[in-house]
């Protein structure tokens, strides 16, 4: 493939993503942000984002797929425990979870 | 959770808070996540400028990953662009639910499109969490500062990953990839609102099934099914409670 093809791909993907953002703006301009439709869209966005995060952890397509599900779930539990233990400090949860995952992989393989 | 704390107000205070909040975690998370993207993009044949511009202009990792993976496997341009678009379709409901939260009132179309372009899961989740503690007229400034800070970190991370100047042990890289979804999961734990919580739980339940049956549109299915049922449950609970 030539460089032009790669540029077309990058710019095409940027435009194709921007379409969704622009459609969002179009919808925002037309709806009442205290109405039922807005609440429904909000619920859809929460469901989508939560689903994406769930997929990234439980059904990953990244290098995490090579890590066993037991290690991933154990690390999430440790992260949540650290988060609540340290008075809802995000840093505590994230660091505990990341270190646990690396540690468990190094230890159990 | 609802403590009576003083609201953050004033341009300087709000920008300082936005930068500190970005540097407290999200900027680092994006730096490391985009390092992974940079090295994948290189492997797929993209140049350094193309990779950095992808992070800047697409600004949605699932779509960027779809682009790189399909390019690496030699798919056609239309298929690549379509897959990237589908993977980033969440921006439509995210923009709709986010923009009114900034309570900007009437603003120009250009400004709103720029706000929409800067949106990512990170700023969406962090801002929705922090907004209640920020005076409404300063929320937009908080968002712009936060979003551009993490975007800068992401572009730098892409270039660092592309040039492979930081070589970390594989085990450590796994931990760094893991902190990104973990961070979102922890931020989402703090989401208030019964309908929103139900939607999130149902979204997770739905995607497990949708992922096996319809992997390319699993997020759309999870969003529409989980969100609609969560919305309905939230409504019926509210009306039942009001009686």
């Amino acid at each position: 493939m030539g460089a032009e093809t790669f540029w077309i791909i990058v710019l095409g993907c940027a435009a194709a993503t921007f379409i969704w953002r622009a459609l969002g703006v179009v919808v925002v301009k037309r709806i009442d942000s205290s109405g039922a439709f807005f609440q429904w869209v909000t619920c859809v966005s929460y469901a989508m984002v939560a689903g994406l995060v769930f997929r990234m952890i439980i059904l990953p397509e990244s290098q995490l797929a090579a890590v066993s599900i037991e290690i991933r779930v154990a690390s999430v539990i440790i992260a949540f425990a650290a988060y609540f233990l340290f008075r809802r400090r995000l840093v505590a949860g994230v660091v505990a979870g990341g270190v646990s995952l690396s540690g468990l992989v190094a230890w159990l393989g | 959770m609802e403590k009576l704390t003083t609201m953050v107000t004033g341009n300087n205070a709000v920008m300082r808070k936005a930068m500190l909040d970005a540097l407290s975690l999200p900027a680092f998370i994006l730096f490391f996540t985009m390092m992974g993207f940079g090295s994948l993009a290189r492997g797929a044949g993209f140049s350094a400028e193309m990779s950095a511009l992808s992070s800047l202009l697409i600004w949605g990792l699932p779509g960027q990953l779809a682009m790189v993976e399909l390019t690496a496997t030699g798919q056609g341009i239309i298929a690549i662009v379509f897959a990237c678009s589908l993977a980033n379709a969440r921006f439509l409901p995210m923009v709709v639910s986010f923009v009114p939260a900034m309570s900007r009132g009437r603003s120009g179309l250009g400004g709103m499109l720029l706000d929409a372009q800067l949106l990512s899961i990170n700023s969406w989740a962090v801002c929705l969490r922090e907004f209640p503690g920020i005076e409404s007229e300063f929320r937009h400034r908080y968002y712009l500062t936060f979003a551009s800070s993490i975007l800068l970190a992401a572009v730098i991370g892409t270039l660092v990953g592309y040039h492979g100047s930081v070589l970390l042990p594989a085990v450590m890289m796994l931990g760094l990839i893991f902190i990104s979804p973990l961070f979102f999961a922890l931020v989402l734990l703090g989401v208030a609102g019964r309908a929103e919580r139900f939607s999130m739980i149902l979204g997770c339940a739905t995607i497990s099934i949708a992922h096996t049956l319809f992997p390319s549109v699993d997020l759309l299915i999870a969003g529409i099914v989980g969100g609609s049922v969560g919305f309905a449950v939230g409504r019926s609970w509210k009306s039942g409670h009001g009686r």
Side-chain angles (χ1 to χ4, degrees), chain A residues 1 6, chain B residues 38-47 67-73:
Chain A
M1 270 197 288
F6 280 103
Chain B
S39 76
L40 286 174
R42 180 182 199 157
F46 291 90
S47 72
M67 175 184 87
V68 162
E69 279 158 16
L70 293 187
T71 306
T73 53

Side-chain angles (χ1 to χ4, degrees), chain B residues 15 18 98 102 104 111 114-116 118 123 127 131 138-151:
Chain B
M15 284 170 77
F98 183 76
M102 283 190 291
R104 274 187 94 191
L114 179 70
D115 291 346
L118 279 174
S123 37
C127 288
F131 275 173
F138 294 102
R139 287 179 187 169
H140 185 246
R141 185 172 286 262
Y142 176 87
Y143 165 65
L144 284 185
T145 313
F146 181 86
S148 39
S149 305
I150 59 172
L151 179 55

Side-chain angles (χ1 to χ4, degrees), chain A residues 1-29 31 33 35-67 71-77 79-81 83-84 88-107, chain B residues 1 24-25 29 44-47 49-50 53-54 57-60 62 67 69 71 77 80-81 84-86 88-97 99-100 106-109 112-113 116-121 124 128-129 171-172 174-191 195-196 199-200 203-204 207-208 211 215 218-220 222-224 226-228 230-231 235 238:
Chain A
M1 270 197 288
E4 311 81 50
T5 316
F6 280 103
W7 276 116
I8 293 168
I9 292 173
V10 169
L11 297 175
C13 285
T17 300
F18 182 72
I19 288 171
W20 297 112
R21 302 176 188 269
L23 280 174
V25 169
V26 170
V27 174
V28 163
K29 285 220 158 233
I31 60 161
S33 65
F37 180 73
F38 171 74
Q39 281 160 14
W40 174 73
V41 178
T42 302
C43 286
V44 170
S45 68
Y46 275 102
M48 265 185 156
V49 172
L52 176 64
V53 173
F54 183 84
R55 195 181 77 182
M56 285 162 94
I57 296 174
I58 305 296
L59 312 155
E61 281 152 9
S62 62
Q63 291 103 301
L64 284 177
V67 178
I71 290 181
R72 280 181 267 136
V73 171
S75 305
V76 171
I77 294 170
F80 281 27
Y83 170 73
F84 287 111
R88 292 172 176 262
R89 293 271 299 170
L90 290 168
V91 183
V94 167
V95 171
V99 169
S100 301
L101 187 103
S102 288
L104 287 169
V105 170
W107 182 37
Chain B
M1 286 272 280
S24 76
L25 258 189
I29 291 176
F46 291 90
S47 72
E49 302 80 50
M50 292 167 187
L53 268 175
S54 303
L57 297 177
I58 301 176
W59 192 219
M67 175 184 87
E69 279 158 16
T71 306
I77 296 175
I80 296 170
V81 170
C84 171
S85 188
L86 214 54
N88 278 340
R90 68 179 180 289
F91 283 120
L92 168 52
M94 280 172 66
V95 165
V96 175
S97 62
V99 173
R106 295 283 123 212
S107 57
L109 184 66
M112 286 176 89
L113 288 173
Q117 174 61 30
L118 279 174
L119 192 63
S120 65
I121 309 187
W124 181 84
L128 290 179
R129 176 189 163 107
V171 170
M172 216 178 138
L174 285 174
L176 290 171
I177 298 170
F178 189 61
I179 60 176
S180 180
L182 200 51
F183 173 74
F184 297 132
L186 289 170
V187 172
L188 292 176
L189 275 184
V191 168
E196 287 86 344
S199 303
M200 292 197 293
C204 293
I207 203 156
S208 324
H211 188 71
D218 54 353
L219 272 181
L220 290 177
I224 291 169
S228 302
F231 170 74
R235 286 217 120 187
K238 204 190 284 171

